[in-house]
């Protein structure tokens, strides 16, 4: 089942996520937190939040509170120089605006994680892959031909055939016909799959994340290398760039490495800087475009193509790319490969 949320379905009950109602009054919250909650909600595939509370939905409130909230559907959040608190504690002085996009994103992650937990959206175990197969047991002793010479089909459905021994002492063999992942029947059956932990109860949690952020200089400058523009790297870039917009001046050089040759649709729900228009592009090319659009006045130097002998022939690489060998001093020592060494390229 290949779509934007195909990977996420191995961790979450997507149908539950899509039915979560969230109440959040933007005027009561820092704008950075509202943006982070909205962005994460879109990434998860949840409905947009509303101002009016919906029966059976969740409500997020801002600020410290001296009273313990026993309402399962209500969450209190507050962040500041002392950290992020969902237990009603005072958070201290306001944080530097450069830090706020990152801190507000962490706060939104804690809130959304607790909402998903209370809504029982998390699966009790990770399911990396789901497939649907028809399993046929055959007795080769009744045939003049063996099973591998036969073609098994399901009318109206594309299948992938695999034959293996039953391994139960019967001498039978199993013919597995895996139905194509994009088959509508597979989609319908996967939607009906449920995994539950019997007698499991959901307890309310109020996570806290203490912080000790050093003071920042008004001028930001330096060199930033990001190895991997995926689920972690893109969020790092997203929060950093949003924070840099609040700096008085900035002069940061970016060096981004990623060997993925193509952005796929399932990347879009957790790799925040990419959109539908980037599907099919390399991650490093899309990252370069994204940086240039958001920091037009900053000095940005990006190495958006990593030449790798296993990915691109050197002669086909872009002139704008870099070769890792150029980053290191050549070694004076030479190594010889023995004649019986197996080299894989």
């Amino acid at each position: 089942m290949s779509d934007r949320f195909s990977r996420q379905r191995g961790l979450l009950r997507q149908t539950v996520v899509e039915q979560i109602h969230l109440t959040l009054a933007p005027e009561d919250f820092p704008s950075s937190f509202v943006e982070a909650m909205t962005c994460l909600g879109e990434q998860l595939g949840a409905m947009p939040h509303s101002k009016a509370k919906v029966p059976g939905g969740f409500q997020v409130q801002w600020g410290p509170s001296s009273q313990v909230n026993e309402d399962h559907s209500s969450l209190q959040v507050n962040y500041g120089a002392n950290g992020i608190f969902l237990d009603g504690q005072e958070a201290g002085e306001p944080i530097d605006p450069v830090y706020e996009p990152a801190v507000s994103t962490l706060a939104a992650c804690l809130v959304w994680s607790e909402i998903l937990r209370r809504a029982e959206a998390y699966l009790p175990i990770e399911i990396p892959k789901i497939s649907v197969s028809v399993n046929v047991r055959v007795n080769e002793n009744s045939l003049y031909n063996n099973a591998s010479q036969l073609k098994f089909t399901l009318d109206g459905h594309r299948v992938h055939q695999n034959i293996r021994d039953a391994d139960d002492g019967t001498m039978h063999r199993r013919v597995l016909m895996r139905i194509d992942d994009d088959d509508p029947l597979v989609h319908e059956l996967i939607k009906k799959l449920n995994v539950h932990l019997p007698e499991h109860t959901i307890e309310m949690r109020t996570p806290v994340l203490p912080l000790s952020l050093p003071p920042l200089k008004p001028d930001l400058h330096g060199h930033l290398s990001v190895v991997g523009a995926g689920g972690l790297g893109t969020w790092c870039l997203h929060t950093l760039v949003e924070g840099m917009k609040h700096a008085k001046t900035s002069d940061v050089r970016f060096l981004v490495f990623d060997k993925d040759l193509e952005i796929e649709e399932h990347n879009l729900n957790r790799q925040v800087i990419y959109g539908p228009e980037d599907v099919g592009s390399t991650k490093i090319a899309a990252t370069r475009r994204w940086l240039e659009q958001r920091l037009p006045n900053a000095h940005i130097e990006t190495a958006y193509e990593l030449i790798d002998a296993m990915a691109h022939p050197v002669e086909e690489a872009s002139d704008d790319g870099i070769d890792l060998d150029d980053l290191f001093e050549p070694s004076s020592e030479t190594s010889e490969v023995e004649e019986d060494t197996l080299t894989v390229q």
Side-chain angles (χ1 to χ4, degrees):
M1 191 172 183
S2 179
D3 61 14
R4 178 169 181 158
F5 303 106
S6 57
R7 296 285 180 87
Q8 184 168 292
R9 286 189 178 87
L11 297 170
L12 296 173
R13 297 182 177 93
Q14 191 61 32
T15 53
V16 174
V17 175
E18 293 168 356
Q19 295 171 6
I20 291 176
H21 293 273
L22 177 63
T23 302
L24 188 152
E27 61 272 13
D28 298 335
F29 293 84
S31 59
S32 183
F33 178 76
V34 176
E35 291 170 5
M37 286 292 294
T38 302
C39 180
L40 281 166
E42 292 172 350
Q43 295 284 307
L44 289 166
M47 291 185 291
H49 59 76
S50 60
K51 292 185 178 182
K53 188 173 182 180
V54 178
F58 291 88
Q59 182 177 19
V60 181
Q61 298 175 322
W62 176 260
S65 175
S66 58
Q67 297 180 345
V68 178
N69 193 340
E70 300 291 346
D71 185 356
H72 173 87
S73 64
S74 181
L75 294 92
Q76 195 85 22
V77 62
N78 186 29
Y79 63 73
N82 295 337
I84 304 167
F85 302 94
L86 273 67
D87 63 351
Q89 287 189 57
E90 289 279 356
E93 296 296 320
I95 58 175
D96 191 301
V98 175
Y99 282 133
E100 188 163 10
V103 174
S104 63
T105 298
L106 289 173
C109 286
L110 291 177
V111 170
W112 267 114
S113 180
E114 184 61 14
I115 289 173
L116 294 173
R117 200 182 64 80
R118 295 186 188 185
E120 298 188 65
Y122 283 116
L123 291 171
I125 192 169
E126 182 182 0
I127 304 176
K129 174 69 176 176
I130 302 175
S131 61
V132 176
S133 301
V134 174
N135 191 343
V136 179
R137 179 187 286 257
V138 298
N139 180 8
E140 285 187 324
N141 294 328
S142 65
L143 303 174
Y144 290 106
N145 298 315
N146 58 47
S148 59
Q149 295 175 312
L150 302 177
K151 179 67 175 178
F152 291 77
T153 62
L154 287 175
D155 289 346
H157 302 277
R158 182 183 176 188
V159 298
H160 308 272
Q161 180 175 310
N162 186 5
I163 301 176
R164 63 187 66 173
D165 294 335
D167 290 331
D168 58 2
T170 62
M171 302 298 292
H172 292 171
R173 304 194 76 188
R174 296 181 186 273
V175 180
L176 277 71
M177 291 179 286
R178 183 174 64 82
I179 305 175
D180 193 83
D181 290 343
D182 292 327
D183 192 300
L185 176 61
V186 173
H187 292 195
E188 287 301 313
L189 290 173
I190 289 178
K191 288 179 181 178
K192 298 179 184 298
L193 175 67
N194 286 297
V195 183
H196 294 282
L197 185 62
E199 301 180 3
H200 177 65
T201 58
I202 301 295
E203 297 179 358
M204 291 178 53
R205 295 178 184 173
T206 53
V208 300
L209 181 62
L211 297 173
S212 179
L213 302 174
L216 290 172
K217 296 180 180 179
D219 301 325
L220 298 180
H221 61 88
H223 189 107
L224 177 70
S225 295
V226 179
V227 181
L232 293 178
T234 56
W235 280 99
C236 290
L237 284 169
H238 170 70
T239 54
L240 178 68
V241 169
E242 289 300 312
M244 287 176 60
K245 292 178 181 179
H246 298 284
K248 183 178 179 181
T249 60
S250 60
D251 182 12
V252 178
R253 296 174 181 268
F254 292 87
L255 180 59
V256 180
F257 295 99
D258 197 289
K259 294 195 295 184
D260 280 4
L261 302 182
E262 184 177 353
I263 295 172
E264 300 179 66
E265 188 178 6
H266 67 77
N267 296 134
L268 302 183
N269 87 308
R270 64 193 186 284
Q271 300 179 17
V272 65
I273 68 175
Y274 306 132
E277 68 280 2
D278 296 315
V279 173
S281 298
T282 62
K283 289 183 179 180
I284 36 188
T287 300
R288 179 187 177 97
R289 289 195 298 269
W290 185 87
L291 285 169
E292 290 175 340
Q293 290 170 1
R294 282 156 181 79
L295 293 177
N297 298 322
H299 180 76
I300 303 172
E301 181 180 330
T302 57
Y304 71 95
E305 185 174 83
L306 174 63
I307 297 173
D308 187 302
M310 297 181 67
H312 290 292
V314 174
E315 62 271 13
E316 295 180 4
S318 167
D319 292 337
D320 295 319
I322 66 168
D323 192 326
L324 278 182
D325 291 338
D326 295 337
L327 302 179
F328 303 95
E329 292 293 333
S331 174
S332 59
E333 299 180 359
T334 59
S335 59
E336 296 182 358
V337 179
E338 299 293 338
E339 291 184 356
D340 60 350
T341 300
L342 175 63
T343 303
V344 180
Q345 295 184 344

